[in-house]
Amino acid sequence: MNFRQLQTFLEIVRLGSFAAAAGKLNATQSTVSARIQELEQDLSVQLFDRSQRKATLTAKGRELVSYAERALALQAEIREQIGAREALSGVVRVGVAELVAMTWLPDLAARLHRLYPRITLELDISLTAPLRQRLQAGELDVALIPGRSFEPGLVTRPLGAVGFCWMAGRSLALPDRPLEASDFKSLRILSLGENSVHFETVSSWLAASGSTQRPDLCNSMTVLSILTAAGVGISLLPPSCYRNELADGTLRILPSRPQPPLMPFAAVYKTRRLTTLQQLVAETAVEVSTFGDDATAEL
């Protein structure tokens, strides 16, 4: 029995198939099968029911899961406590919200590579809901995403909060006063997709203001800002990301009642998959984040 066999066993359990585990481990399916066969021979038990299309655990296989997780966690602890941190290696799959990617993600990647030169990052930039689903499915190790509450069994490290304001391009004719619900009836609203916290925030604001307007949707905040600047509609955007556009008048802030809420962000990872690399990525993200706290986030 060895750690590679146990790691392969857990990846099959987490991803649901030998083929998916082979892709994750950058190995052939025959290699993955051979490792499991060797592990089964060593333990003299069958770990998977091979009569099923999906990799289904036997009773002994289910029993092994917690032991394998503890063994790999202990291996990670030994490396952290006994070995040099710069010697840590491995692939870390990080899900990243676009707003993080637009701001301090380059600083995070640079610092991680400086501190831990042997790790490899796999960055997945997407909307919030898909990233949360991939994290729960074991397809991501860490997610840097917006949200206040997360599923049980997840470790959450706050990354600060971001202030958003309604913005428009220079060509759009609007009242010279704070916007109210009645003003939105004649305006085109732009938002990120329904799988985003941004959409939830826009929808909640519209509902609170009494508006029944349904937004146009786009899955990129960068494109959203371009459409807004072009006068297609108005959208909720973070002023801290568009200082140049605000300075030259390409975009302008629209005061509103009520004021849009702050959007909190967090580094999130699974408790049962707590490893050294996941924890270090989350801790480094906390150090690097340029987002303010709930009381001081820029509006």
Side-chain angles (χ1 to χ4, degrees):
M1 184 192 311
N2 57 52
F3 288 119
R4 179 165 293 181
Q5 293 168 350
L6 294 176
Q7 180 189 23
T8 301
F9 168 75
L10 287 180
E11 290 300 340
I12 296 170
V13 173
R14 290 163 184 160
L15 299 178
S17 73
F18 282 57
K24 163 64 174 61
L25 296 169
N26 196 27
T28 64
Q29 191 167 339
S30 60
T31 298
V32 167
S33 297
R35 290 175 187 171
I36 298 304
Q37 289 173 359
E38 291 167 359
L39 182 59
E40 289 177 326
Q41 291 171 2
D42 186 56
L43 296 173
S44 299
V45 297
Q46 187 172 344
L47 300 172
F48 291 98
D49 181 355
R50 289 170 172 77
S51 66
Q52 306 293 322
R53 292 186 62 183
K54 184 178 179 181
T56 304
L57 288 170
T58 64
K60 283 296 183 181
R62 290 192 296 271
E63 190 176 346
L64 177 61
V65 170
S66 63
Y67 287 104
E69 289 179 334
R70 285 155 54 191
L72 292 179
L74 182 58
Q75 179 194 38
E77 183 179 345
I78 292 172
R79 284 178 172 167
E80 179 181 6
Q81 299 300 324
I82 306 301
R85 283 198 169 191
E86 57 270 19
L88 289 173
S89 63
V91 176
V92 188
R93 302 160 300 173
V94 185
V96 185
E98 187 180 9
L99 189 54
V100 174
M102 292 169 58
T103 51
W104 47 268
L105 179 61
D107 292 336
L108 174 63
R111 180 174 296 190
L112 287 171
H113 286 143
R114 184 173 65 253
L115 295 174
Y116 317 108
R118 296 179 61 187
I119 72 167
T120 301
L121 297 176
E122 289 185 2
L123 302 175
D124 184 348
I125 315 299
S126 187
L127 298 177
T128 307
L131 292 179
R132 292 178 74 149
Q133 292 167 2
R134 291 168 199 159
L135 182 67
Q136 287 285 22
E139 298 170 6
L140 293 175
D141 299 307
V142 185
L144 311 176
I145 50 178
R148 290 190 182 278
S149 60
F150 297 92
E151 294 81 355
L154 294 178
V155 178
T156 303
R157 298 293 306 276
L159 296 173
V162 180
F164 280 68
C165 293
W166 288 106
M167 293 192 196
R170 59 162 58 96
S171 63
L172 207 59
L174 292 166
D176 188 20
R177 56 173 171 75
L179 294 178
E180 298 179 351
S182 57
D183 299 314
F184 281 77
K185 295 178 181 178
S186 59
L187 295 173
R188 178 67 60 186
I189 312 300
L190 309 176
S191 171
L192 291 180
E194 294 183 352
N195 287 330
S196 69
V197 172
H198 186 273
F199 176 82
E200 296 175 6
T201 304
V202 170
S203 300
S204 297
W205 190 95
L206 293 174
S209 66
S211 173
T212 58
Q213 177 84 321
R214 178 169 176 79
D216 283 356
L217 304 181
C218 170
N219 65 358
S220 167
M221 185 167 290
T222 299
V223 175
L224 205 64
S225 68
I226 294 172
L227 294 173
T228 303
V232 175
I234 69 171
S235 62
L236 273 180
L237 295 170
S240 58
C241 292
Y242 298 99
R243 292 189 178 95
N244 293 337
E245 291 83 354
L246 291 169
D248 64 20
T250 304
L251 290 172
R252 55 189 169 125
I253 292 176
L254 307 174
S256 62
R257 288 194 293 259
Q259 177 69 35
L262 298 175
M263 188 176 294
F265 281 73
V268 187
Y269 55 97
K270 278 190 173 183
T271 302
R272 72 178 181 85
R273 298 194 64 199
L274 192 154
T275 66
T276 299
L277 289 180
Q278 288 169 290
Q279 187 174 2
L280 291 177
V281 169
E283 290 175 352
T284 307
V286 172
E287 296 169 0
V288 169
S289 173
T290 58
F291 298 158
D293 59 36
D294 283 2
T296 63
E298 180 181 355
L299 296 177

